[in-house]
Amino acid sequence: MAEAMDTGPEGVAYATETATSAEELWPKVTEDIDVKDKKAVKAKETAISNLCEQLYKAADADGLRRLIDAIKPFLNVVSKAKGGKLFKQIIDRFVDLTNATADEKVAMCKDCISWAKDSKRTFLRQALEVRLISLHLEAGEYQECLTQIRPLLRELKRLDDRQLLMEVHLMESKAYFFLSNYPKARAALVAARTIANSIYCPPRMQASLDLQSGVLHAQEADFKTAYSYLYEAFEGFDSVDVPQAALRSLKYMLLAKILLEEAADIPAIITGKLALKYSGRELDAMQAVASASLNRSLADFQQAMTDFAKELKEDFVVQNHVTELYDSLLEQNLMRLVEPFSRVEIDHLAELIDLPVDAVEQKLSQMILDHKLHGILDQGANCLQLFDEEARNETYQKTLDTIAQTNLVVDALYKKAKGVV
């Protein structure tokens, strides 16, 4: 019987069958054996593992469901460690199926969690709950994700299961990030990295931590540090052959370079030895944005957004930063255009910048409210009236600050005196 080794989603080596078909393996999986016969037990374990791989390669979701139900009696008579490893292998393969819907995967995980609870398999249940949380995270159900994370974290802290605890903290950080709660996302990531420093951290998990660190630093506008973390993440994912995650890290690296105003370096990065094998529309999209940023061209930017809408708008991280970059570029162009004028028609500005009048008017209004422009919009004359900025009176401002501080002192003395009385 010819066997090969395949690496699963978490870097676990699975036995795969190359000579025996799934039809031939089913009888071996379902047959009754003497559990005291170690060779027979080992043979059945191998048959289950090989059948799992055959069904996964055939994208047979129903077959994997049947296999899960078929092996439950066998798992009750072997050690919990062996049984848990086999069971998790099948669940991982079912979750990785592309032809199974997200609802089917969630339902399968919940059924298996219930079985693990009934069988009092604590460690297996926890591993399955982590898998379920990852499914909610992928589906964008962030509140549901956090709801399930909280009790699991308490339990894992009591058991001091650092490996799972690190993974759950990382998912917690991602959930808070997508909910725009950046302080809590940072706190969860710090907790995960602290645990990673105290135990052996697999390369894939280390790369995931670096990727999340890079994303959070970019959100805080620390693009130089973000680039360093993203480069580490890219190398890490590339070394363990996780192409999708490596490509995402590379894409964010290029974005950090653009935001650092070093877009001229991007062609050299894309044609580098490591990055060359990831060439495609994702990198073409970032190169188009880099070119538009380098040329300070709004027209090129809009063209890139149109040509690569999927690559730029469907990624939450890229969309946020690209939108901010476009707004910044638009503001710079408008500031440059209005500089020679004290009064200018909005239609004329729209014509110069080649944008719709209502978009230009809205942006000018926002810039005035943000105190980036000192002027007013005259709706009747449809023009922008600009004023000379008045010299700031430092004495007046300092006087106001002194009055405010004195007011705080008087209030504090009043509360203290009232408490004494």
Side-chain angles (χ1 to χ4, degrees):
M1 185 179 290
E3 291 183 5
M5 297 304 289
D6 182 29
T7 302
E10 299 301 326
V12 179
Y14 295 141
T16 59
E17 183 61 46
T18 57
T20 308
S21 66
E23 290 76 11
E24 293 173 301
L25 285 168
W26 271 110
K28 297 180 182 180
V29 169
T30 54
E31 69 181 353
D32 292 329
I33 60 168
D34 182 3
V35 294
K36 295 180 180 178
D37 185 345
K38 291 184 179 180
K39 288 185 178 180
V41 171
K42 180 64 178 174
K44 187 161 184 175
E45 287 174 8
T46 304
I48 291 170
S49 182
N50 291 335
L51 178 57
C52 170
E53 296 307 313
Q54 290 285 347
L55 295 171
Y56 172 70
K57 288 178 181 177
D60 188 351
D62 290 332
L64 285 171
R65 287 193 195 92
R66 285 172 52 212
L67 180 60
I68 289 171
D69 291 332
I71 67 166
K72 284 178 181 177
F74 174 68
L75 297 182
N76 289 326
V77 296
V78 296
S79 70
K80 288 187 176 181
K82 283 184 180 179
K85 184 179 178 182
L86 272 176
F87 200 78
K88 191 170 183 298
Q89 174 189 346
I90 302 169
I91 292 297
D92 286 342
R93 287 313 201 190
F94 182 83
V95 168
D96 289 340
L97 286 175
T98 55
N99 62 331
T101 65
D103 290 340
E104 288 175 333
K105 293 174 183 179
V106 168
M108 174 59 74
C109 280
K110 287 182 176 178
D111 288 343
C112 293
I113 289 169
S114 297
W115 174 79
K117 283 181 181 177
D118 295 339
S119 304
K120 296 182 179 179
R121 296 172 180 266
T122 303
F123 295 108
L124 176 60
R125 173 183 58 78
Q126 290 169 348
L128 292 173
E129 284 179 353
V130 170
R131 206 70 168 103
L132 179 60
I133 290 167
S134 70
L135 287 174
H136 286 306
L137 193 61
E138 290 171 12
E141 299 167 352
Y142 306 121
Q143 290 293 357
E144 179 66 24
C145 181
L146 291 172
T147 300
Q148 296 190 12
I149 280 175
R150 292 183 189 109
L152 183 58
L153 278 177
R154 288 194 293 269
E155 187 177 354
L156 291 173
K157 284 175 182 176
R158 285 199 303 270
L159 295 172
D160 198 28
D161 188 338
R162 297 186 181 184
Q163 197 73 40
L164 271 185
L165 197 57
M166 175 176 59
E167 193 174 340
V168 174
H169 272 307
L170 178 58
M171 290 191 289
E172 181 187 24
S173 177
K174 291 178 181 179
Y176 277 125
F177 173 78
F178 286 117
L179 290 171
S180 300
N181 192 336
Y182 304 122
K184 286 193 175 181
R186 167 64 62 189
L189 180 63
V190 168
R193 294 193 74 91
T194 302
I195 295 169
N197 291 333
S198 65
I199 61 171
Y200 169 71
C201 184
R204 180 170 177 169
M205 177 56 67
Q206 185 61 56
S208 297
L209 291 170
D210 288 336
L211 176 58
Q212 183 66 5
S213 296
V215 168
L216 283 174
H217 277 288
Q219 188 61 44
E220 295 167 358
D222 184 1
F223 303 119
K224 192 170 183 179
T225 306
Y227 180 83
S228 299
Y229 275 117
L230 293 168
Y231 185 78
E232 292 293 330
F234 170 59
E235 285 193 325
F237 284 126
D238 182 72
S239 67
V240 294
D241 195 23
V242 188
Q244 287 299 320
L247 177 58
R248 189 164 64 252
S249 302
L250 178 57
K251 190 176 175 182
Y252 295 167
M253 270 174 60
L254 300 179
L255 180 63
K257 271 291 182 186
I258 295 169
L259 295 168
L260 277 169
E261 299 183 357
E262 296 175 2
D265 297 342
I266 284 181
I269 297 173
I270 290 176
T271 55
K273 185 178 177 181
L274 279 180
L276 199 57
K277 62 182 176 181
Y278 296 101
S279 58
R281 283 187 60 83
E282 298 282 353
L283 299 191
D284 291 344
M286 301 314 298
Q287 196 163 13
V289 172
S291 178
S293 176
L294 202 60
N295 298 328
R296 301 289 178 185
S297 171
L298 283 172
D300 290 352
F301 210 111
Q302 289 177 319
Q303 190 62 46
M305 295 289 282
T306 303
D307 294 344
F308 301 98
K310 181 180 179 183
E311 289 78 12
L312 296 176
K313 294 180 180 178
E314 291 187 5
D315 189 308
F316 179 79
V317 176
V318 173
Q319 183 190 20
N320 277 357
H321 289 294
V322 167
T323 302
E324 289 174 8
L325 187 63
Y326 176 78
D327 286 342
S328 174
L329 193 59
L330 177 56
E331 285 179 5
Q332 289 171 18
N333 276 268
L334 284 172
M335 291 291 284
R336 179 174 53 83
L337 290 173
V338 302
E339 189 176 3
F341 301 102
S342 60
R343 184 182 178 88
V344 58
E345 290 184 352
I346 297 173
D347 291 346
H348 181 58
L349 280 178
E351 186 179 341
L352 289 174
I353 206 167
D354 195 22
L355 285 176
V357 175
D358 56 345
V360 173
E361 186 175 355
Q362 184 180 358
K363 190 61 186 175
L364 289 171
S365 176
Q366 182 184 336
M367 290 171 71
I368 291 169
L369 291 172
D370 291 341
H371 302 290
K372 293 176 181 177
L373 273 180
H374 190 56
I376 60 168
L377 286 174
D378 188 338
Q379 298 284 352
N382 192 34
C383 67
L384 171 68
Q385 178 73 45
L386 293 166
F387 306 127
D388 293 331
E389 289 193 27
E390 296 178 3
R392 188 174 178 183
N393 191 326
E394 294 293 336
T395 305
Y396 176 72
Q397 186 60 44
K398 288 178 181 178
T399 304
L400 287 178
D401 292 342
T402 303
I403 292 171
Q405 294 299 324
T406 305
N407 188 47
L408 291 174
V409 172
V410 170
D411 287 345
L413 288 171
Y414 174 75
K415 287 178 182 177
K416 191 174 181 180
K418 192 176 180 181
V420 172
V421 173

